[in-house]
Amino acid sequence: MHSLRKSHQTSPSKMLTLLLLSFLWVGASDGTAQTRASSSYSGEFGSDAGSHFDQSDQELEGPITGLRIRANDRYIVSIQVRYGDSWSSTEGGMVGSPANVRLFLGEGIVQVLGRFGSHVEYLALRTNQGRVFAFGPNFGPGTFFTAEPSFPNTVLRSVSGRSGSSIDAIGFHWDTEQ
């Protein structure tokens, strides 16, 4: 009977190894699960014309705090996003005067409605404080889309897409509020 007990006992060194491995596994899997459970992507809405742009690296500057968008009577000409206190480069053309939007402290974009054809024609952005900002003509032959995060308590963190002399396509990257 004594030998049976001995065969089922774990040595202190094996127990310590198992304990350390379990802590390492929980720590590694916990961070990965949190990242994947809060981020999502909507898009790309538009055509495959123009050059690809991606501002996801700029979200490290802080949350989106402002926008500058140029539009004419047919489509969105350009977009520039303010991350924290830093403005991104302008994507698209420089024709026309930009409309400036400043977000309040703690305000984030939670939904984008739009329309696209060969260019992004229209964008309407709704914030978590109920404000709506619209750019471009709200009529035309393009295809409508709705973009919103896949998870609760997430906001727009960056944009990507394609541009040339206008915004040809756009995508939206969502993640937790900062």
Side-chain angles (χ1 to χ4, degrees):
M1 193 79 154
H2 181 54
S3 65
L4 184 60
R5 280 189 195 153
K6 210 172 199 183
S7 66
H8 287 304
Q9 289 181 349
T10 305
S11 72
S13 63
K14 284 184 181 177
M15 186 179 277
L16 183 59
T17 303
L18 288 172
L19 186 61
L20 287 173
L21 287 174
S22 67
F23 280 130
L24 290 173
W25 181 78
V26 168
S29 66
D30 190 39
T32 303
Q34 286 179 353
T35 302
R36 291 184 183 173
S38 60
S39 62
S40 60
Y41 174 73
S42 305
E44 178 168 280
F45 303 102
S47 72
D48 59 359
S51 298
H52 178 73
F53 69 88
D54 185 352
Q55 297 182 349
S56 60
D57 61 334
Q58 294 198 280
E59 72 181 79
L60 298 175
E61 299 292 326
I64 292 176
T65 56
L67 299 161
R68 288 183 183 142
I69 296 180
R70 288 180 170 89
N72 60 26
D73 61 347
R74 295 177 297 161
Y75 51 82
I76 304 297
V77 175
S78 70
I79 186 168
Q80 186 178 22
V81 182
R82 185 175 179 199
Y83 297 93
D85 293 329
S86 302
W87 284 98
S88 71
S89 59
T90 300
E91 306 297 345
M94 299 299 286
V95 177
S97 298
N100 292 306
V101 171
R102 287 196 162 236
L103 299 180
F104 299 135
L105 185 63
E107 186 174 28
I109 297 166
V110 295
Q111 183 182 50
V112 180
L113 303 175
R115 191 181 64 253
F116 67 91
S118 57
H119 308 282
V120 176
E121 300 169 357
Y122 173 76
L123 291 173
L125 303 107
R126 185 174 62 84
T127 74
N128 56 2
Q129 295 186 8
R131 296 198 301 161
V132 176
F133 306 101
F135 309 94
N138 191 12
F139 58 87
T143 303
F144 280 94
F145 69 86
T146 301
E148 48 195 18
S150 299
F151 303 99
N153 302 318
T154 55
V155 295
L156 183 64
R157 293 300 306 273
S158 67
V159 296
S160 61
R162 303 184 71 75
S163 67
S165 60
S166 67
I167 300 299
D168 299 305
I170 194 162
F172 306 96
H173 302 262
W174 312 92
D175 208 337
T176 54
E177 298 180 43
Q178 206 173 28

